[in-house]
Amino acid sequence: MDQNRTALFETRPVPNAVMTLAVPTIISSLVMVLYNLADTFFVGMLNDPVESAGVALAAPVLLAFNAINNLFGVGSSSMMSRALGLKDEDTVARSSAFGFYCSLICALLFSLGFTVFQTPLLRLLGADQTTFDATAEYLFWTVTLGAAPSILNVVLSYLVRAEGSTLHASIGTMSGCILNILLDPIFILPWGFNMGAEGAGLATCLSNCVACLYFFVLLYLRRRTTAVCISPRMFGFRKNIAFGVFQVGVPASIQNLLNVTGMTILNNFAAGFGADAVAAIGIAQKIYQVPWNVSNGFSQGVMPLVGYNYASGNAGRMKQAVLFCMKVSVGFMILAALVCHQMAGPLIGLFMKTESIVAYGAAFLQGFALSLPFLAVDFLAVGVFQACGLGKNSLIFAIMRKVVLEIPALCLLNFLFPLYGLAYAQLVAEGILCIAAVVVLRHLFTTMDSRQAAAALSDD
């Protein structure tokens, strides 16, 4: 095994190791926020509602990519980290190859299925005679031709991150994001190629291809030292590999689908109060996504360290990593919550100046902000479960967060406090889930301590 990787996972001081793994992931997550806004922003500069609608109507199709990303990206990277901790390099190689080729196959099938059933699917998405062409043109580049590079870009970043190379994983992802932001105005706006929504799709496709190329070149140059393997010879449907990947990947994929469901329900409730309320919630969510991505970056970044030490039985180091990450993440989220709560009006005003939207948005953002410290604990707990291969725990938490807690809270609070109650549903859900997360993590640590003590006695 590469000595630098071994030192990172086994001997380097925990705060240094955590920040080495987490900071590039956090930066990459924040760049992704800008990337997700780029197409909407530059197409919006055309002041053409048809072109803007084309991008908006395509969003659910692109969100479906995340189900594949989580299934094989999160699942395979977790399997790799645990195999690295066990010094099982054959399983590491086969897990990465399994994740890579399964995601490629699913991406190609997704692309084919969309192309064959494009017309009824676009009608289902809400495209009419006016918006059909703009939506189809955008999805031609992002799905028909772009599904494979878009999905492989994300999955490869997970695989590279699993061996501790978070900097390269982030550079690969960010290279595509930054290139997309640079290409968007060139392809979209009149002073460039004036392609509108189709230009946004082309820019996205090219950017994801470049990101994939970065990863392929990286793996080739590091072929003698990297643990990531994409050789066809190592790909196969071995039961233990498939089970290990799906055990973590399926709950992660379901969690993504539940997040989309929760967001859809929230927007539908807000729609009953008019366009200003919907716009205000959308802006509040975009601001909220900044600290949200920082917290998610911490939980995703520390996963390789947690998975490695969980598998190798080093309970003390794993516990130190989780507790250090929790202190830093919760501390940051408390600060972010205070800023968002106290500066809610001016922050909303950066996006829209309409008085009613600013008033609605400030109220929503203040409610959303209160959930941030609890969210940090919940995200970290789910990251630990995924890293340790405890897919059942992460699935239970995903179902509790949305189905058991947040969605019923949305209905109840909207009934008791029409519209404004929606902003506090996540606080209720994350607050209760935080208590459960602390209890389950304590039980996990106690179990690991007992196993380590038993192993030490048996060695004696």
Side-chain angles (χ1 to χ4, degrees), residues 9 21 24-26 28-29 77 80-81 84 154-170 173 215 228 297 300-305:
F9 288 141
L21 292 167
T25 309
I26 293 168
S28 176
S29 296
S77 64
M80 287 175 64
S81 295
L84 284 169
V154 177
V155 171
L156 283 168
S157 72
Y158 273 111
L159 301 183
V160 171
R161 188 180 295 125
E163 64 170 352
S165 299
T166 53
L167 179 60
H168 283 292
S170 299
T173 302
F215 286 118
V228 180
Q300 293 294 315
V302 80
M303 276 181 59
L305 184 64

Side-chain angles (χ1 to χ4, degrees), residues 60-80:
V61 182
L62 302 186
L63 282 174
F65 287 172
N66 289 332
I68 301 173
N69 296 337
N70 288 346
L71 177 59
F72 297 111
V74 176
S76 296
S77 64
S78 172
M79 189 72 174
M80 287 175 64

